[in-house]
């Protein structure tokens, strides 16, 4: 019995030490700030808004299984492609087959170990609380035409990326969902793999740029609150709607987005963001997202490098305007069905 006492005492000390460890403290940069640098990804099956199959913020195993099965069915062959870097170059073809590949973590994101059914945590229903003006603006943002390049979607014009992962807020997409963070004393830069955008966040600045200047990604200033980088973005360009799977975010000139980046472990950042827009919302809303460490590196993403699709699409529209499509010939009458064996016999 006496021999067991040191072991019990040691166990008590270890247990007490674990309890007193407290929250995670990130390593520091040379300037003493929490170090957020590295390559991170937010790829997952969690959407911004909560799909109707879920009953609450925390998904059940059955709900997650339904989500995964439904997504796989909808994605179809986009998930079938296999990439093997050891294979030789493919043969030269005149007409290339479908080459899109979904690059995703096919499960719901985990925060505090729990599967999340949506990024939105407030309101409780997991939906963007648009008022009537906001709903109308979101519908209008979905509209496009071939009248000219200005009426094509921003992602098609390579002004913003597909799914708007550059944000703000920075949402997950089906591919290229990687980010690299760089820090100095005065700036934090977030390189976004999709469309190769770089967000520049000014630290210590308390004044935004003049209100008549509205960059595609808004104007972001930040400061540190303990372990957390807090970023406030205003001067949002109203035409720069943020696309998301299952939602379309639009912002009025009065909108303000507040983001919080907190490193919660060696391989995870808790990314929180909220939107306050008295013109388009009935109330502010708030969301949480998990960003996980990724191996990297981030590769070049070239948009419209040698790509003639936009010009060709507009030329095609002009051709259709001057060359109406001839009416299709009437369909041939269906052949009469063959009589069944024995039909018509006495």
């Amino acid at each position: 019995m006496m021999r067991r006492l040191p072991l019990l005492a040691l166990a008590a000390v270890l247990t007490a030490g674990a309890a007193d460890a407290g929250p995670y403290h990130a390593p520091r940069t040379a300037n003493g700030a929490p170090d957020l640098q590295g390559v991170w990804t937010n790829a997952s099956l969690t959407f911004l808004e909560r799909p109707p199959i879920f009953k609450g913020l925390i998904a059940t195993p059955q709900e997650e299984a339904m989500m995964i099965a439904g997504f796989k069915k909808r994605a179809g062959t986009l998930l079938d492609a296999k990439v093997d870097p050891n294979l030789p170059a493919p043969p030269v073809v005149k007409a290339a087959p479908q080459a899109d590949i979904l690059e995703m973590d096919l499960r719901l994101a985990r925060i505090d170990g729990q599967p999340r059914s949506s990024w939105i945590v407030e309101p409780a229903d997991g939906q963007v609380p648009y008022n009537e003006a906001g709903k109308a603006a979101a519908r209008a943002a979905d509209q496009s035409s071939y009248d000219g390049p200005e009426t094509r979607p921003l992602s098609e014009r390579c002004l913003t990326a597909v799914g708007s992962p550059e944000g703000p807020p920075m949402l997950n997409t089906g591919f290229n969902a990687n980010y690299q963070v760089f820090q100095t004393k005065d700036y934090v830069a977030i390189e976004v793999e999709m469309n190769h955008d770089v967000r520049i966040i000014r630290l210590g600045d308390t004044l935004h740029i003049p209100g008549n200047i509205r960059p595609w990604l808004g104007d972001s200033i930040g400061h540190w609150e303990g372990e957390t980088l807090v970023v406030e973005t205003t001067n949002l360009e109203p035409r720069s709607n943020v696309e998301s799977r299952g939602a379309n975010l639009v912002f009025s000139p009065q909108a303000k987005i507040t983001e919080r980046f907190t490193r919660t472990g060696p391989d995870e950042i808790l990314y929180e963001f909220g939107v306050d827009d008295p013109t388009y919302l009935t109330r502010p809303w708030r969301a949480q997202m998990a960003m996980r460490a990724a191996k990297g590196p981030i590769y070049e993403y070239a948009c419209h490098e040698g790509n003639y699709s936009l010009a060709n699409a507009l030329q095609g529209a002009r051709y259709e305007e001057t060359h109406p499509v001839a009416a299709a010939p009437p369909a041939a009458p269906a052949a009469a069905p063959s009589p069944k064996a024995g039909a018509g016999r006495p």
Side-chain angles (χ1 to χ4, degrees):
M1 185 70 179
M2 293 299 293
R3 289 186 176 183
R4 294 182 181 177
L5 287 177
L7 296 177
L8 294 174
L10 177 60
V13 170
L14 293 176
T15 303
D20 295 338
Y24 176 81
H25 288 275
R28 263 36 187 181
T29 65
N31 299 309
D35 194 346
L36 303 177
Q37 296 178 110
V39 180
W40 308 89
T41 181
N42 58 6
S44 81
L45 276 187
T46 301
F47 289 7
L48 176 69
E49 291 189 308
R50 188 169 307 138
I53 66 170
F54 298 105
K55 296 180 180 179
L57 178 63
I58 309 303
T60 66
Q62 294 77 16
E63 290 172 338
E64 181 172 20
M66 289 174 58
M67 182 71 175
I68 294 172
F71 184 84
K72 286 182 175 179
K73 182 178 180 180
R74 182 177 179 183
T77 58
L78 293 179
L79 295 173
D80 295 338
K82 299 294 186 295
V83 179
D84 186 349
N86 298 315
L87 292 177
V92 177
V93 295
K94 292 184 178 179
Q98 172 64 266
D100 288 341
I101 299 172
L102 285 179
E103 222 175 20
M104 300 178 65
D105 181 3
L106 293 177
R107 64 173 193 159
L108 298 177
R110 263 68 176 167
I111 296 179
D112 293 330
Q114 297 177 317
R116 291 295 178 91
S117 63
S118 65
W119 299 132
I120 294 179
V121 296
E122 294 178 8
D125 64 0
Q127 307 299 308
V128 177
Y130 282 128
N131 58 24
E132 291 305 316
K135 293 176 183 177
R139 288 192 297 267
D142 268 338
Q143 304 302 313
S144 62
S145 75
Y146 290 95
D147 292 344
E150 294 81 4
T151 60
R152 300 306 303 151
L154 297 180
S155 58
E156 187 176 299
R157 296 158 59 193
C158 298
L159 295 172
T160 58
V162 177
S164 305
E166 68 273 78
M170 305 187 305
L171 302 179
N172 53 316
T173 66
F175 45 89
N176 298 106
N178 297 309
Y179 305 80
Q180 187 162 6
V181 178
F182 304 88
Q183 290 175 238
T184 70
K185 179 178 178 294
D186 301 313
Y187 298 94
V188 172
I190 303 176
E191 180 183 4
V192 187
E193 184 175 45
M194 180 89 78
N195 216 37
H196 223 68
D197 270 315
V198 179
R199 287 189 63 192
I200 303 295
I201 300 166
R202 304 190 308 280
L203 300 179
D205 198 344
T206 58
L207 297 177
H208 286 283
I209 59 178
N212 61 330
I213 301 175
R214 297 189 174 273
W216 290 114
L217 307 185
D219 180 58
S220 298
I221 59 177
H223 66 275
W224 293 100
E225 292 183 1
E227 296 289 312
T228 300
L229 172 65
V230 181
V231 180
E232 179 185 276
T233 301
T234 60
N235 298 67
L236 294 158
E237 166 57 60
R239 294 172 296 171
S240 183
N241 62 296
V242 173
E243 305 168 31
S244 171
R245 294 174 301 175
N248 192 25
L249 296 183
V250 290
F251 309 110
S252 77
Q254 290 72 43
K256 180 176 72 173
I257 299 174
T258 303
E259 302 163 285
R260 300 176 66 88
F261 299 79
T262 307
R263 193 162 178 174
T264 54
D267 56 358
E268 185 174 86
I269 290 176
L270 176 61
Y271 173 50
E272 302 173 280
F273 50 93
V275 179
D276 187 359
D277 189 345
T279 303
Y280 284 166
L281 301 175
T282 60
R283 52 160 293 179
W285 59 270
R286 188 173 66 87
Q288 294 178 326
M289 174 184 288
M291 301 191 73
R292 308 180 312 279
K295 291 182 179 180
I298 287 182
Y299 293 96
E300 178 186 8
Y301 184 98
C303 190
H304 272 274
E305 292 286 341
N307 188 339
Y308 300 96
S309 62
L310 182 59
N312 287 346
L314 296 178
Q315 289 175 359
R318 301 293 81 77
Y319 181 88
E320 287 186 347
E321 290 171 354
T322 56
H323 298 75
V325 179
S338 300
K340 296 180 180 179
R345 292 181 182 179

